[in-house]
Amino acid sequence: MNDPLIKIEGIAKRFLARDGAETTVFEDIHFGVEQGEFVCLIGHSGCGKTTILNILAGLEPASDGYVFVGGREIRGPSLDRAVIFQSHALMPWLTVTGNIAFAVNSRWPEWDKARMRAHCQKYIDLVNLSGAEKKRPAELSGGMKQRVGIARALAIQPKMLLMDEPFSALDALTRGMLQEEALRICAETRQTVFMITHDVDEAILLADKIVLMTNGPHAKIAEIVVNTLPRDRSRHDLHRHPHYYRIRNHLIEFLVDRSRAFGQETAAGRHDPRSPPVVRPGLTEDSPASEDGMPVRPPAMPKPLVAVVK
Amino acid sequence: MSSFAIWRAPALSLLLFLLFVGVWHAATLPTVGQQTVDPEYAKLVGAAAATGQKTAFPAPADVAAKIWTHLEEPFYDRGPNDKGIGIQLAYSLARVLLGFLLAALAAIPIGFLIGMSPLVYRALDPFIQVLKPISPLAWMPLALFTLKDSGVSAVFVIFICSLWPMLVNTAFGVAAVRREWLNVAKTLEVGPFRKAFRVILPAAAPTIMTGMRISIGIAWLVIVAAEMLVGGTGIGYFVWNEWNNLSITNILTAILAIGLIGMALDQILARLTRLVTFPE
């Protein structure tokens, strides 16, 4: 079997407290992201999700372990891995085009002005911002700013896109719209994406694989949930698919109960952090057995909808 | 109503000004006193001195007339002790601008370095803390001794006093550049020079410009005192020379000119600051 595009092997993050005691935020994190795959990482605040993304981006060193991209260990940031920041991180002194051109110029400094402009325009059109080219970030709404952030990241045509809760600072309506756009753009560009979120519905809508993380400290990957919904999804009829509630209940049950007490599950010794169990809750009818034979908890009864876990 | 509202503040300003001039005028009205001296002597010293007028302080009309004569011929040059107020102001401005620009050339790169490197910051901080509160005029004797030229010494004093606000503000502005912009530059593999000029400089520009504005204000304050000491030319020298001439009208004219030029310098820097300020 070929190695995945991104391979994370045993990364850990430890902090030295002032009294000399070592705090382990997470350790023994193993997973991979295949070419063209959309992977979401879900976990509670404080389990080190953003740190994992920063390590993948090369902005922070891991205390332990390795990250391979295309078979090579990463050393620092790279234009191959574009980041979409939660706070959009646009430069307020540049226009929309200026912000995107700054990134494009970093990637292809040899391009002339006309080529640069045309390239920027293509991505401005892609995120539906035509007409706002000359505006500065201060004149844009939160959703539009995040669109510029997405355009900036895509414009450098990275091997993979890293998103750190990109839609969490937006209102529900704008978030829904942007999620659909992200779905459309990813379908168009077949972009490899690694995204952090704490929104279960967002993960089900966008992801092919959902990586579940236990609570910190000593956070680990608990399971990898394969999203068995067809790739051709829309926010409007997603909930009509029979797999939807099974996956959703599985995720919520994990976030509400199992993420906290996962240590007891692993105490049995069946959990191997090097290859966390891959489960397909969408396919489980009544017999709770995952494909690789690992026992999984029975899927929760389709109880009344629990609100999105924040 | 709205057009009236616009004029309310200027109208009040004008009213205050007229009130001020009115009080000034009333306070300096000539009071013909008793002739206290010998008529022969009175002829010699002039009526005002001889009759013991209440005050020698000029009336507003005298000052206005003096300003008018200066405006008519601001750039005359009749020897070292009699130059037009325009020439004197030009000398002062030239010294201030030269010292200020030299200070900017030194302060902005060093400030950048301090802002970017916590090590350099900690290493230079004690020097800055000690040197910053020193009155620029305290450097004057040292400058005169080492530089051996009064004109150069005046420029040096301006240099020293403009240095600190720019240095401290540049360092602060550079150190306070938002982490996320630096992270963007990092993930885009932006080189150090491009990062300095395309990310840090624009991000810190408003703070740097504020430092420059403070600096030019201080430089303009200090130049008057410096020129009183070094003498020769400049508006500070002019004020001191007119004090020796006991020409209060000339001193008042010079004070007004200093104020107006200082305001103009501040406004120019404020404009420039607005140009580089970005709304968030």
Side-chain angles (χ1 to χ4, degrees), chain A residues 57 59 77-81 83 85 87 89-94 102-103 105-106 138 152 156, chain B residues 178 180-190 194-195 198-200 202-203 276 278-280:
Chain A
L59 294 170
S78 155
L79 282 160
D80 286 340
R81 283 163 275 133
V83 185
F85 297 89
S87 55
L90 298 180
M91 305 198 189
W93 56 90
L94 296 174
F102 180 75
N105 191 23
S106 308
R152 176 173 66 183
I156 61 171
Chain B
R178 292 245 287 273
E180 56 188 56
W181 297 330
L182 297 176
N183 278 345
V184 168
K186 255 194 206 168
T187 57
L188 292 172
E189 295 187 66
V190 173
R194 197 152 169 264
K195 186 173 86 178
R198 294 285 314 273
V199 182
I200 297 173
V276 299
F278 44 84
E280 289 221 34

Side-chain angles (χ1 to χ4, degrees), chain B residues 50-63:
Chain B
T51 54
Q53 189 188 326
K54 198 169 66 191
T55 172
F57 201 85
D62 303 330
V63 177

Side-chain angles (χ1 to χ4, degrees), chain A:
Chain A
M1 192 187 138
N2 282 342
D3 265 355
L5 176 68
I6 314 278
K7 211 167 128 202
I8 292 150
E9 284 194 354
I11 56 169
K13 188 75 186 178
R14 298 191 180 90
F15 291 106
L16 220 51
R18 198 173 299 170
D19 58 2
E22 211 179 43
T23 325
T24 302
V25 186
F26 55 81
E27 60 188 354
D28 239 352
I29 301 285
H30 295 258
F31 67 95
V33 180
E34 304 281 348
Q35 174 76 47
E37 203 173 34
F38 198 124
V39 174
C40 270
L41 179 67
I42 287 196
H44 284 283
S45 315
C47 70
K49 293 179 305 228
T50 298
T51 312
I52 291 184
L53 185 122
N54 282 345
I55 291 170
L56 289 188
L59 294 170
E60 246 180 86
S63 313
D64 220 338
Y66 311 94
V67 178
F68 299 94
V69 175
R72 283 189 173 183
E73 194 191 343
I74 62 160
R75 300 225 169 275
S78 155
L79 282 160
D80 286 340
R81 283 163 275 133
V83 185
I84 295 175
F85 297 89
Q86 184 178 6
S87 55
H88 63 77
L90 298 180
M91 305 198 189
W93 56 90
L94 296 174
T95 59
V96 167
T97 310
N99 265 291
I100 299 169
F102 180 75
V104 175
N105 191 23
S106 308
R107 174 108 215 186
W108 298 284
E110 70 282 359
W111 280 11
D112 58 64
K113 267 209 170 120
R115 192 166 179 196
M116 182 98 75
R117 196 156 276 279
H119 189 81
C120 293
Q121 193 61 49
K122 190 177 131 195
Y123 285 91
I124 290 171
D125 296 342
L126 180 72
V127 296
N128 283 333
L129 272 182
S130 319
E133 291 87 349
K134 296 228 159 56
K135 291 209 166 117
R136 282 170 202 278
E139 303 166 68
L140 302 177
S141 67
M144 286 163 95
K145 281 181 203 163
Q146 200 50 279
R147 282 166 199 259
V148 182
I150 294 169
R152 176 173 66 183
L154 289 170
I156 61 171
Q157 295 177 348
K159 278 190 187 146
M160 88 169 310
L161 209 53
L162 304 168
M163 303 202 215
D164 185 3
E165 304 193 17
F167 311 128
S168 64
L170 305 173
D171 62 276
L173 227 73
T174 317
R175 180 163 48 215
M177 263 159 63
L178 271 184
Q179 283 167 351
E180 293 227 309
E181 299 234 349
L183 200 63
R184 172 181 64 81
I185 290 168
C186 290
E188 276 176 31
T189 56
R190 300 294 302 155
Q191 183 74 52
T192 312
V193 186
F194 175 72
M195 178 165 115
I196 285 172
T197 182
H198 49 227
D199 183 337
V200 167
D201 286 315
E202 182 171 282
I204 299 175
L205 178 67
L206 295 173
D208 301 315
K209 267 198 306 198
I210 301 160
V211 178
L212 301 180
M213 228 172 145
T214 65
N215 288 6
H218 297 276
K220 285 186 181 61
I221 303 278
E223 296 177 342
I224 296 172
V225 175
V226 176
N227 190 349
T228 43
L229 288 166
R231 251 246 179 180
D232 180 28
R233 306 164 197 157
S234 100
R235 204 153 47 91
H236 304 289
D237 52 16
L238 193 68
H239 59 280
R240 297 207 183 97
H241 197 279
H243 290 186
Y244 175 75
Y245 278 108
R246 295 184 197 147
I247 300 173
R248 193 172 193 281
N249 286 342
H250 184 88
L251 296 180
I252 287 180
E253 192 201 4
F254 175 82
L255 286 174
V256 173
D257 296 326
R258 291 173 59 208
S259 63
R260 211 174 330 120
F262 198 75
Q264 292 159 18
E265 276 185 51
T266 53
R270 300 292 306 266
H271 186 267
D272 177 13
R274 285 171 180 281
S275 55
V278 178
V279 294
R280 289 176 174 77
L283 297 178
T284 20
E285 290 290 341
D286 287 321
S287 56
S290 67
E291 286 208 338
D292 51 359
M294 292 289 290
V296 291
R297 289 193 145 204
M301 298 305 287
K303 49 192 166 190
L305 209 63
V306 183
V308 173
V309 174
K310 294 267 169 175

Side-chain angles (χ1 to χ4, degrees), chain B residues 111 115 167-178 200 203-208:
Chain B
L167 187 70
V168 171
N169 264 46
T170 305
F172 175 75
V174 169
V177 172
R178 292 245 287 273
I200 297 173
T207 322
I208 298 176

Side-chain angles (χ1 to χ4, degrees), chain B residues 151-180:
Chain B
V152 177
S153 300
V155 173
F156 174 76
V157 167
I158 294 303
F159 169 82
I160 279 288
C161 77
S162 340
L163 190 67
W164 309 115
M166 282 196 269
L167 187 70
V168 171
N169 264 46
T170 305
F172 175 75
V174 169
V177 172
R178 292 245 287 273
R179 184 100 240 132
E180 56 188 56

